[in-house]
């Protein structure tokens, strides 16, 4: 039976050296080259002065915009085209304003045709008892879509500017959380009791305003503002730790993106099927019923989701930053 050799004796054997050679695990230059410490380089002061002067001359030549013919020509062309563009823009605007009818004239379409069309044909064409909602979400739904996108872009901008930097580690987030906890009235029994009683009714009332916006005063903007106020009251009473169980920044982004995408799909479809006196395939229903007015009800829901989430997100970001 063979006996195990010690490590030192095994490393001196031919089989071990053959194994090392085949595997290539040993550096052949290790211990075979003479390594001398490098002497520090002594810079000549005259050479350093010449090098600095050369750099100054190069920089002066490269960044000399006053004597560079290409830069001077570009600046002159830029100023000329800018002036020409401004003159053309002002001329186009003046030509457009010159063709407008005088302000307050009775024959203007906005004073006779548009308002008369909304009042006389609004219920028949939109199915909404509330003519204001029918005008906002049917006749001028494209403007409302732009307003909803403005809210979403503003919220995204605030998220970018006030978010905590995750690259710096958890210290910034923990500091923001600790700073926020100092102002959270977690032991305020009066505020928490009032919030427990009021928040459910506020949320239900906001949902009611959204769902009945086509039947009476209300709609997505006002109902979303009420729901946002309820969420702000809840987080003021119980803090972000409990509120973020069901509503976070990721939740807001998904909800807002989904609502805006749904709005775009529904209203684009409505434009193609209902514009230019083409009959829409979406039934208007019975005026006065909850499921009526075609696409106005789902559009109100989309607008309410965006408004409520934006209000709460603004409050959360300005309150603690690292939301």
């Amino acid at each position: 039976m063979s006996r195990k050799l010690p490590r030192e004796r095994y490393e001196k054997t031919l089989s071990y050296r053959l194994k090392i050679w085949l595997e290539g695990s040993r550096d052949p230059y290790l211990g075979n080259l003479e390594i001398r410490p490098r002497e520090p380089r002594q810079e000549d002061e005259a050479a350093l002065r010449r090098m600095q002067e050369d750099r100054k001359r190069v920089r002066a030549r490269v960044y000399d915009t006053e004597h560079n013919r290409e830069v001077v020509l570009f600046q002159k062309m830029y100023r000329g085209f800018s002036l020409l563009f401004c003159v053309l823009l002002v001329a186009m605007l003046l030509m457009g304003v010159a063709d407008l009818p005088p302000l307050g004239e009775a024959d203007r379409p906005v004073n006779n045709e548009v308002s008369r069309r909304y009042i006389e044909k609004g219920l028949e064409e939109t199915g909404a008892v509330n003519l204001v909602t029918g005008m906002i979400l049917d006749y001028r739904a494209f403007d409302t879509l732009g307003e909803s996108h403005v809210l979403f872009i503003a919220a995204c901008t605030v998220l970018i500017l006030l978010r905590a930097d995750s690259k710096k580690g958890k210290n910034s987030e923990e500091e923001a959380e600790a700073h926020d906890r100092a102002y959270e009235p977690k032991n305020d029994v009066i505020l928490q009791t009032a919030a427990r009683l009021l928040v459910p009714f506020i949320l239900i009332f906001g949902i009611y305003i959204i769902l009945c916006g086509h039947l009476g005063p209300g709609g997505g903007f006002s109902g979303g503002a009420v729901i946002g106020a309820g969420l702000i009251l809840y987080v003021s009473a119980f803090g972000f730790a409990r509120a973020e169980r069901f509503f976070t920044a990721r939740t807001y982004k998904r909800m807002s993106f989904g609502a805006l995408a749904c709005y775009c799909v529904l209203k684009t479809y409505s434009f193609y099927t209902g514009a230019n006196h083409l009959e829409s395939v979406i039934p208007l229903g019975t005026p006065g019923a909850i499921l009526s007015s075609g696409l106005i009800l789902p559009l109100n829901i989309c607008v309410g989701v965006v408004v409520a989430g934006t209000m709460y997100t603004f409050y959360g970001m300005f309150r603690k930053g690292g939301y």
Side-chain angles (χ1 to χ4, degrees):
M1 184 174 180
S2 61
R3 183 169 54 88
K4 184 177 180 180
L5 295 177
R7 180 71 180 179
E8 297 178 355
R9 292 184 58 187
Y10 175 66
E11 291 180 354
K12 296 179 180 179
T13 59
L14 180 62
S15 59
Y16 176 77
R17 285 181 287 179
L18 179 62
K19 176 185 175 184
I20 295 298
W21 179 74
L22 292 175
E23 292 179 353
S25 58
R26 182 180 178 183
D27 188 0
Y29 298 101
L30 184 62
N32 298 325
L33 294 178
E34 183 180 2
I35 301 177
R36 296 179 182 178
R38 188 174 182 180
E39 297 180 358
R41 181 181 178 183
Q42 298 293 335
E43 295 287 350
D44 188 8
E45 295 183 0
L48 288 176
R49 285 196 298 269
R50 287 196 302 270
M51 186 181 300
Q52 293 177 357
E53 292 177 358
D54 293 339
R55 289 181 178 177
K56 290 181 180 179
R57 283 196 293 268
V58 171
R59 291 178 61 87
R61 184 177 181 84
V62 172
Y63 295 100
D64 187 10
T65 57
E66 296 181 357
H67 300 87
N68 194 323
R69 297 176 59 184
E70 296 180 357
V71 175
V72 172
L73 179 61
F74 174 77
Q75 291 179 351
K76 291 182 179 179
M77 294 179 61
Y78 179 80
R79 295 171 184 171
F81 280 111
S82 300
L83 180 61
L84 180 62
F85 175 78
C86 292
V87 171
L88 292 177
L89 181 61
V90 171
M92 292 173 60
L93 294 176
L94 291 177
M95 291 174 61
V97 173
D99 293 336
L100 293 176
L103 182 64
E105 186 179 2
D107 295 337
R108 294 182 63 188
V110 70
N111 292 330
N112 48 33
E113 298 179 9
V114 178
S115 57
R116 187 184 306 168
R117 178 64 176 270
Y118 289 165
I119 296 173
E120 295 178 355
K121 299 288 185 180
L123 181 61
E124 177 184 352
E125 294 180 348
T126 65
V129 179
N130 185 1
L131 296 181
V132 177
T133 303
M135 178 187 65
I136 293 175
L137 292 176
D138 192 278
Y139 290 115
R140 302 187 62 182
F142 192 75
D143 298 340
T144 307
L145 176 62
E147 295 170 3
S148 301
H149 276 84
V150 167
L151 289 176
F152 181 68
I153 294 172
C156 291
T157 305
V158 174
L159 285 170
I160 294 172
L161 295 177
L162 298 183
R163 66 185 295 273
D165 191 1
S166 59
K167 295 181 179 180
K168 296 180 180 179
K170 297 183 179 180
N171 294 332
S172 58
E173 297 180 1
E174 293 177 355
E175 291 176 0
E177 188 72 20
H179 179 74
D180 182 71
R181 288 200 184 102
Y183 297 98
E184 283 188 3
K186 293 187 177 181
N187 299 322
D188 195 332
V189 180
I190 298 177
L191 179 60
Q192 292 182 353
T193 304
R196 287 191 183 97
L197 295 175
L198 294 177
V199 168
F201 292 99
I202 293 174
L203 298 180
I204 293 174
F205 182 62
I207 295 172
Y208 166 78
I209 293 176
I210 293 175
L211 297 180
C212 298
H214 59 292
L215 305 178
F221 285 101
S222 52
V226 173
I227 295 176
L231 294 175
I232 292 174
L233 175 60
Y234 182 87
V235 76
S236 299
F238 301 103
F240 285 96
R242 292 183 60 177
E244 289 181 355
R245 295 177 183 177
F246 61 91
F247 197 95
T248 61
R250 182 176 297 179
T251 305
Y252 163 71
K253 294 175 184 178
R254 292 178 178 177
M255 290 175 57
S256 297
F257 178 78
L260 291 174
C262 181
Y263 192 114
C264 293
V265 172
L266 292 179
K267 208 55 208 175
T268 303
Y269 175 74
S270 177
F271 288 155
Y272 280 106
T273 59
N276 298 325
H277 303 283
L278 295 176
E279 185 178 357
S280 177
V281 297
I282 305 298
L284 298 179
T286 303
I290 185 67
L291 297 178
S292 62
S293 69
L295 293 173
I296 292 181
L297 178 59
L299 294 181
N300 257 329
I301 296 174
C302 294
V303 174
V305 169
V306 175
V307 174
T310 302
M311 284 188 57
Y312 178 78
T313 303
F314 277 167
Y315 176 80
M317 290 300 300
F318 282 102
R319 170 82 175 269
K320 60 181 292 190
Y323 174 59

